Amino acid sequence: MTIEFEQHIDPRLIPVLEKVHDPEIPVLSIMDMGVVRSAKIVDTIAQIQITPTYSGCPAMDVIGEDIITAFAKENITAKVSLVLSPAWTTDWITPRGRAALEKYGIAAPLDEQADKEALLGNKKIVKCPQCNSTNTKMVSQFGSTACKALFQCEDCLEPFDYFKCLK
């Protein structure tokens, strides 16, 4: 099930927003992460609303500063605010973002039911981003960040992060 949300983005601002990357996963732009909720120009100021990937995510302060800096490089003043509702979901990661995660070595989130099966160890369905095997096991519920779990491939033996499904 995909959760829809209203996204109001002035197309003129997209090129700048695509230059801002998630500091924890630098291959993902904030547009590909789906955290940008609104981006518009009001009285010559770019007003950007972002939704944190989870409540208290420390990356949001950095992302806010990076947005302001990216617009300043274009001689545009930007104001950033947080929008908490509806809560962000991994459904908002774009297909391009999912592909970038896999290429970077992080398994993209599964759907909600498959995620539960994988994290409880009931099924081997998390695909290794190095060799594409599903012969993987969870090593830890928490990986390099709270939104990821640490897995290991039992075929190529490589460890990798799995981006947990967040709903």
Side-chain angles (χ1 to χ4, degrees):
M1 175 176 117
T2 299
I3 297 175
E4 298 297 325
F5 69 100
E6 252 188 86
Q7 192 180 38
H8 303 283
I9 299 181
D10 184 324
R12 297 173 295 175
L13 302 179
I14 292 173
V16 177
L17 292 168
E18 286 181 336
K19 293 177 186 175
V20 178
H21 294 270
D22 182 315
E24 295 174 339
I25 310 171
V27 296
L28 289 182
S29 76
I30 59 173
M31 294 299 291
D32 283 329
M33 280 294 291
V35 299
V36 178
R37 294 289 304 281
S38 172
K40 58 188 174 185
I41 297 175
V42 177
D43 298 327
T44 72
I45 296 174
Q47 294 189 355
I48 315 300
Q49 292 182 327
I50 56 177
T51 297
T53 54
Y54 66 94
S55 188
C57 176
M60 297 316 289
D61 290 337
V62 174
I63 289 171
E65 291 170 14
D66 289 350
I67 290 170
I68 291 168
T69 300
F71 278 100
K73 287 179 181 175
E74 302 295 325
N75 296 314
I76 300 170
T77 300
K79 179 183 175 197
V80 179
S81 58
L82 291 181
V83 176
L84 302 178
S85 181
W88 181 84
T89 169
T90 49
D91 288 344
W92 296 353
I93 300 174
T94 66
R96 182 173 70 183
R98 289 173 180 275
L101 279 173
E102 297 280 340
K103 187 175 180 184
Y104 189 63
I106 299 172
L110 301 168
D111 65 56
E112 189 173 6
Q113 186 57 42
D115 185 76
K116 288 178 187 173
E117 296 290 337
L119 293 176
L120 294 173
N122 296 335
K123 291 186 181 174
K124 293 187 174 217
I125 51 180
V126 175
K127 184 175 74 169
C128 172
Q130 279 80 21
C131 72
N132 294 321
S133 170
T134 56
N135 186 21
T136 62
K137 67 178 180 181
M138 184 178 61
V139 175
S140 173
Q141 281 276 355
F142 299 98
S144 59
T145 61
C147 57
K148 293 181 228 134
L150 180 61
F151 273 70
Q152 181 176 22
C153 180
E154 294 187 307
D155 287 339
C156 73
L157 303 178
E158 290 293 322
F160 63 94
D161 277 335
Y162 162 64
F163 201 112
K164 298 174 194 171
C165 177
L166 299 173
K167 299 279 183 182

